[in-house]
Amino acid sequence: MWVVKLGGSLFTSDHLKKWLTLLAEAQSLVIVPGGGPFADQVRQAQQQFKFDESTAHRMALLAMEQFGRMLCGLQTGLSAATNPLQIQEALKRGDTPVWMPTVMTMADSRVEQSWDVTSDSLAAWLCSRIGAQNLVLVKSLSLNYQSLSLDELTTRGIVDNQFGNYLRSAGIQAMVMADSEHGQFSELYGGEMTAATRIVIDSED
């Protein structure tokens, strides 16, 4: 199974609909939505009203769900799913599930409730919960590398500070793709792993 995290930055990308069309046609794949402008509003509200990190974290989860609901409304064949059972039911129907993270995430007290854990980390966390072997992070950027180290991705702010811990725990293969690289996704999904930038964990550096 594959997990594809669609970054919230794709909210303003001309490539968003192309990604949705591709992913709706895929099998054995789950979409994790980013927070996009909905999460930006949470950050702004926290700065203004100074509420705690736990509250902001819960609000950010709902921001992911808002973006996810929007994706479902934009593309036929996508359906919202809150837990592994609903994910499997969607796949059996031939739909591509879009994960709504609040229920599962808040049920696990080990998930840190801070901005250090964003949708990137939660996508890796979900992989370990549903037995996914591959994770693709789709972001509005340009990499042009065959591989990048986890440390470099973290230092450059491409992934959040806790992503490495969740990735190591999941024991999966993870890759990054630019939003403009939708034309290469079918190759990647078909087994051509050089079609994306591979994330190299510390033990492989």
Side-chain angles (χ1 to χ4, degrees):
M1 184 181 294
W2 291 65
V3 168
V4 176
K5 183 261 176 160
L6 287 181
S9 60
L10 270 72
F11 183 89
T12 56
S13 173
D14 294 335
H15 303 288
L16 176 60
K17 291 296 294 291
K18 294 175 183 176
W19 274 104
L20 297 181
T21 300
L22 279 170
L23 299 179
E25 294 173 350
Q27 298 178 349
S28 193
L29 184 150
V30 181
I31 296 173
V32 172
F38 308 106
D40 292 339
Q41 287 298 310
V42 176
R43 291 185 177 92
Q44 182 178 335
Q46 188 183 27
Q47 290 174 359
Q48 180 175 348
F49 295 104
K50 311 301 181 186
F51 48 78
D52 61 273
E53 289 286 280
S54 178
T55 298
H57 178 77
R58 292 173 183 239
M59 293 171 68
L61 293 175
L62 294 172
M64 290 173 61
E65 296 197 4
Q66 285 183 290
F67 188 43
R69 293 285 178 180
M70 188 191 86
L71 299 182
C72 292
L74 287 174
Q75 177 64 50
T76 301
L78 303 184
S79 60
T82 63
N83 56 47
L85 178 59
Q86 290 184 6
I87 287 172
Q88 289 300 324
E89 289 175 343
L91 293 172
K92 288 178 181 178
R93 291 195 306 270
D95 287 348
T96 296
V98 179
W99 184 48
M100 303 288 114
T102 303
V103 172
M104 284 182 64
T105 302
M106 294 309 302
D108 190 341
S109 60
R110 295 167 295 181
V111 176
E112 180 180 333
Q113 297 183 21
S114 79
W115 288 111
D116 286 338
V117 176
T118 69
S119 51
D120 290 338
S121 283
L122 295 179
W125 179 84
L126 179 66
C127 286
S128 65
R129 296 303 184 274
I130 63 175
Q133 296 83 33
N134 299 285
L135 169 63
V136 182
L137 306 178
V138 182
K139 294 174 175 285
S140 296
L141 45 71
S142 180
L143 291 174
N144 298 319
Y145 297 99
Q146 284 193 335
S147 64
L148 279 173
S149 72
L150 180 58
D151 286 344
E152 184 171 359
L153 288 167
T154 305
T155 299
R156 291 171 58 178
I158 296 173
V159 297
D160 64 62
N161 291 334
Q162 291 297 319
F163 176 72
N165 293 331
Y166 286 97
L167 182 59
R168 295 185 193 96
S169 177
I172 56 174
Q173 183 167 234
M175 294 140 284
V176 182
M177 297 189 79
D179 58 339
S180 60
E181 293 178 328
H182 48 81
Q184 300 169 214
F185 179 75
S186 295
E187 298 176 32
L188 177 68
Y189 195 61
E192 183 51 66
M193 295 303 175
T194 59
T197 299
R198 185 169 64 94
I199 299 176
V200 181
I201 62 174
D202 304 331
S203 61
E204 298 174 344
D205 291 349

